């Protein structure tokens, strides 16, 4: 009996594990292997050069600056996105005025809002980036944002947005938040709908207002979903490649103020003399940072699960 | 499920299997980094004759893998059909925008196509390919007779600079750059005539013109902040005009102190003055090249530093009566080493032939066909661009911009400059110095800081052993 059980389990696990090994583990191993070479990606020949590529990275100030931008993204984008996502989801599902017998309801028109919030999720990143490039166009007659600023009498606040070293990274962050918030509204809405209404009714009977309900009931019961969202958003923030590559001026500019590690990696591998080995080493560094982030997040957010 | 067994154990054991699976994963690593090695492929060779000077084998298959971008790929297909008729085959043709990502594995596995147009934003580093010995030396093509006139060699009909553009620090030519681009300050002749402006010849005249355009509510220049190296089209060539070719070559060769010379100070100082007087359209630093061209065709700025492709690229927003014209480089005046009329022009659209392809002779022959009058006429007529064949645009009806470019090229004669730093050291030019230029034009740094930064970046590139170095011959 026991023997058969193992065969049963192995039979189920073999295929997924093999796929995981080929599609996930093996590229990691290869990446590490390539990072120890001077491979150009153009020939089958490569020479092992030990940890030279890693030494180069450590002395590359641009790498550290890019990593710092990634960390800024990591600190700001998930917090803002998840906070907005939570707020919107709460207003759409719980935050409305009570009407009739329903004790818990969203604000008026919440169905339509849900669709509107989710909309950017349907667009590809390239579309979003091009769209926002027009919005950020510094021209006072063509750039949507500057036109609006002029229209409401704030013409003096018009900026060159992506061309301004102080604003560029913030501009890109705003787009990342805009593009991702809709998904979390839907995710948190689903989470909230699984919270039993009795808990809300009980808290209402005790006289809890919207703010208290949110912080004392909704947020604690959603903590698992929030933690998962945090990891996802963290990974998006650690990447940010497509947003920066498509939107930033001069490929991570102005003056390298928006460069991120994945973009640096891309430029190293595909543009700057085809240094696949060095780029692979950057990939390994990114892997380590991402792993640390994921482990920390899951550790810190571990808590007792409430069954309902 | 038995009591001695729970889910947690199963997960632990699954993880153990995962760990065991890692080493076997490395066995699979062959996919990305296959060590194919040279497989001594049979190379098709035929008998050389007057009509077949490169010795193409009749009926041998040929694969063309080309960039299908702004120029499309119909002009290549036209040449291929001529090849098909001559050699009794059908060329296998692939046209794509993502030339690099698709070609990289072909080169890595030593199975490259024979004939490639390695162009576009995603192209492979031609210099790196040449250094790795992946590209065929096209010297036999240069020494072969042309199709139109067997008495002339291909070498003799190419515009000056074409051969050099395909060389990477040695006599071998690895790329034939087919399209010829004229760079300069582009403007609307109609606007200039309506306002009574004339295209200036010196820095001082240009700054005086800036005052006039400003009075008319038009900015003198605009540029794309997303690609600040557009400004370098003028800037580097102006350094060459003021200080002579040697000064420009010293910059290209990354010589010590190459930027710390008077010619550079004069030219960069001119840009500092333009920036200080706010002669660049406000907001230029945040624009794409399309947004910049739109502002310019709408008459918000008088001039843009651009290449002759602008006529095609800006066509959607350019008024019919725009009357596009290009002005040659402005400089310091009579003290300049090169006269007014000196131009930056360069061959682009690099066609390469694989060194270890199956039919290298066929790849070169296809290029020879493309250089024939019939094909160059087709290219210039349909694409509205000049080719690297001298005088190939003569006798054709040209659009205003192309006619202006063609005339400017003729007037320039031998005074054609081409700063190779732009294609030899892409990162240095576009990103490092490009960032300095972006700051110079927004007044964040002055000329002295620009020169200091450019020199420092040039020195750093020189010291970086991972960057292949090139020298003017």
């Amino acid at each position: 009996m026991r023997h058969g059980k193992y065969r049963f389990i192995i039979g189920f696990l073999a295929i997924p594990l093999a796929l995981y090994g080929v599609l996930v583990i093996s590229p990691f191993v290869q990446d590490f292997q390539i990072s120890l070479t001077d491979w150009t990606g153009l020939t089958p020949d490569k020479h092992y050069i030990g940890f030279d590529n890693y030494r180069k990275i450590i002395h590359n100030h641009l790498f550290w600056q890019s990593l710092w931008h990634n960390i800024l993204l990591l600190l700001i984008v998930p917090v803002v996105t998840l906070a907005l996502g939570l707020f919107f989801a709460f207003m759409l599902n719980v935050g409305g005025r009570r009407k009739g017998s329903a004790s818990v309801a969203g604000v008026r028109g919440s169905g339509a809002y849900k669709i509107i919030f989710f909309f950017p999720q349907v667009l590809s990143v390239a579309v979003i980036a091009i769209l926002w490039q027009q919005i950020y166009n510094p021209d006072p007659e063509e750039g949507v944002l500057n036109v609006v600023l002029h229209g409401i009498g704030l013409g003096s606040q018009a900026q060159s947005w992506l061309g301004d070293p102080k604003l560029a990274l913030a501009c890109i962050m705003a787009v990342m938040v805009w593009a991702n918030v809709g998904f979390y509204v839907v995710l948190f809405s689903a989470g909230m709908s699984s919270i039993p209404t009795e808990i809300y009714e009980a808290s209402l009977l005790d006289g809890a207002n919207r703010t208290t309900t949110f912080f004392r009931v909704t947020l604690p019961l959603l903590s698992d979903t929030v933690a998962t969202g945090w990891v996802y958003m963290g990974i998006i923030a650690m990447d940010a490649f497509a947003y920066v590559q498509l939107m930033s001026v001069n490929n991570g500019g102005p003056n390298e103020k928006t460069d991120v590690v994945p973009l640096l990696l891309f430029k190293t591998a595909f543009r700057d003399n085809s240094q696949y080995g060095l780029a692979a080493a950057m990939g390994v560094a990114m892997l380590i940072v991402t792993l640390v982030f994921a482990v920390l997040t899951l550790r810190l957010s571990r808590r007792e699960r409430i069954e309902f | 499920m038995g009591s001695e067994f729970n889910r947690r154990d199963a997960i632990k054991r699954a993880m153990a299997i995962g760990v065991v699976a890692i080493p076997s994963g490395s066995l699979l690593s062959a996919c990305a980094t296959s060590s194919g090695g040279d497989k001594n492929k049979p190379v098709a060779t035929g008998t050389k004759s007057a009509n077949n000077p490169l010795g193409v084998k009749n009926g041998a298959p040929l694969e063309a893998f080309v960039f299908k971008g702004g120029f499309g790929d119909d002009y290549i297909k036209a040449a291929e059909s001529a090849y098909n008729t001559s050699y009794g085959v059908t060329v296998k043709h692939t046209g794509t925008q993502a030339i690099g990502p698709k070609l990289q594995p072909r080169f890595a596995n030593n199975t490259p196509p024979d004939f490639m147009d390695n162009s576009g934003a995603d192209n492979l580093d031609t210099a790196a390919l040449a250094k790795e010995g992946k590209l065929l030396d096209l010297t036999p093509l240069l020494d072969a007779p042309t199709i139109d006139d067997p008495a002339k060699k291909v070498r003799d009909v190419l515009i000056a600079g074409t051969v050099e553009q395909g060389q990477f620090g040695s006599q071998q030519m690895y790329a034939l750059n087919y399209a010829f681009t004229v760079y300069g300050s582009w403007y609307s002749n109609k606007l200039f005539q309506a306002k009574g402006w004339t295209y200036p010849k010196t820095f001082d005249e240009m700054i005086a013109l800036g005052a006039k355009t400003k009075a008319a509510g038009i900015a003198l220049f605009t540029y794309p902040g997303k690609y600040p190296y557009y400004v370098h089209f003028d800037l580097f060539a102006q350094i060459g005009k003021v200080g002579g070719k040697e000064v420009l070559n010293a910059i290209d060769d990354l010589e010590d102190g190459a930027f710390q010379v008077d010619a550079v100070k004069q030219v960069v100082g001119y840009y500092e003055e333009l920036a200080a007087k706010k002669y660049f359209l406000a907001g230029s630093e945040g624009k794409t090249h399309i947004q910049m061209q739109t502002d310019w065709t709408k008459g918000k700025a008088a001039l843009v530093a651009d290449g002759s492709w602008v006529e095609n690229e800006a066509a959607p927003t350019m008024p019919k009566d725009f009357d596009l014209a290009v002005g040659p480089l402005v400089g310091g005046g009579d003290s300049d080493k090169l006269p007014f009329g000196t131009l930056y022009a360069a061959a682009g659209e690099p066609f390469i032939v694989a060194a270890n392809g199956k039919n290298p002779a066929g790849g070169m022959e296809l290029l020879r066909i493309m250089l024939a009058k019939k094909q160059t006429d087709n290219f210039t007529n349909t694409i509205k661009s000049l080719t690297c064949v001298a005088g190939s645009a003569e006798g054709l009806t040209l659009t205003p911009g192309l006619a202006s470019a063609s005339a400017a090229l003729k007037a320039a004669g031998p005074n054609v400059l081409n700063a190779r730093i732009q294609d030899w050291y892409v990162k240095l030019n576009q990103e490092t110095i490009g960032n300095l230029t972006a700051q110079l034009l927004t007044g964040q740094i002055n000329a002295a800081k620009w020169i200091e930064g450019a020199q420092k970046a040039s020195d750093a590139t020189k010291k970086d052993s991972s960057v292949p170095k090139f020298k003017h011959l």
Side-chain angles (χ1 to χ4, degrees), chain A residues 28-244:
Chain A
F28 284 144
V29 175
Q30 278 186 63
D31 183 58
F32 184 68
Q33 184 197 350
I34 295 169
S35 76
L36 301 175
T37 70
D38 63 353
W39 197 40
T40 59
L42 301 174
T43 62
D45 327 311
K46 49 182 178 295
H47 312 99
Y48 285 90
I49 53 168
F51 286 89
D52 274 10
N53 286 328
Y54 293 90
R55 232 163 274 146
K56 259 188 206 165
I57 290 179
I58 289 173
H59 293 113
N60 183 352
H61 91 97
L62 196 53
F63 174 81
W64 291 107
Q65 192 178 331
S66 306
L67 189 62
W68 171 240
H69 293 147
N70 271 121
I71 290 172
L72 277 181
L73 288 171
L74 188 58
L75 293 176
I76 298 170
V77 175
V79 177
V80 178
T81 311
L82 296 182
L84 276 177
L86 270 173
F87 172 72
F88 289 141
F90 181 74
M91 294 309 284
L92 292 182
N93 292 290
V94 191
R97 282 172 210 285
R98 261 164 286 155
K99 44 180 187 279
S101 58
S103 57
V104 177
V107 294
R108 199 179 307 183
S110 60
Y113 282 127
K114 259 183 218 171
I115 292 169
I116 292 169
F117 284 138
F118 196 69
F119 209 70
Q121 199 67 31
V122 189
L123 303 175
S124 82
V125 176
V127 174
I128 290 173
I130 302 294
L131 202 73
W132 278 86
Q133 215 157 51
Q134 300 309 316
I135 295 175
Y136 284 138
N137 182 349
D139 195 89
E141 285 156 39
E142 277 150 42
V144 177
L145 208 48
N146 279 351
V147 168
V148 170
L149 283 174
H150 279 285
I152 57 175
L154 288 173
S156 60
Q157 294 301 306
Q159 309 284 346
S160 68
W161 305 116
L162 293 167
D164 188 330
K166 292 188 203 76
L167 286 176
L169 191 61
C171 287
I172 291 173
M173 282 186 194
V175 177
M176 290 176 72
V177 171
W178 180 84
N180 287 297
V181 78
F183 175 76
Y184 294 97
V185 171
V186 173
L187 183 74
F188 295 147
S189 293
M192 283 176 196
S193 64
S194 73
I195 298 173
T197 38
E198 296 84 50
I199 302 181
Y200 283 113
E201 285 165 354
S203 62
L204 285 172
L205 283 178
D206 288 341
N209 60 16
R210 270 190 254 190
T211 319
T212 323
T213 321
F214 178 77
F215 282 106
R216 296 291 173 87
V217 179
T218 312
L219 195 52
L221 290 176
L222 268 184
S223 61
D224 269 1
T225 321
V226 175
T228 313
W230 196 278
V231 174
Y232 277 136
M233 259 335 275
I235 289 167
I236 289 173
M238 286 307 285
D239 177 9
F241 167 76
Y243 294 97
V244 177

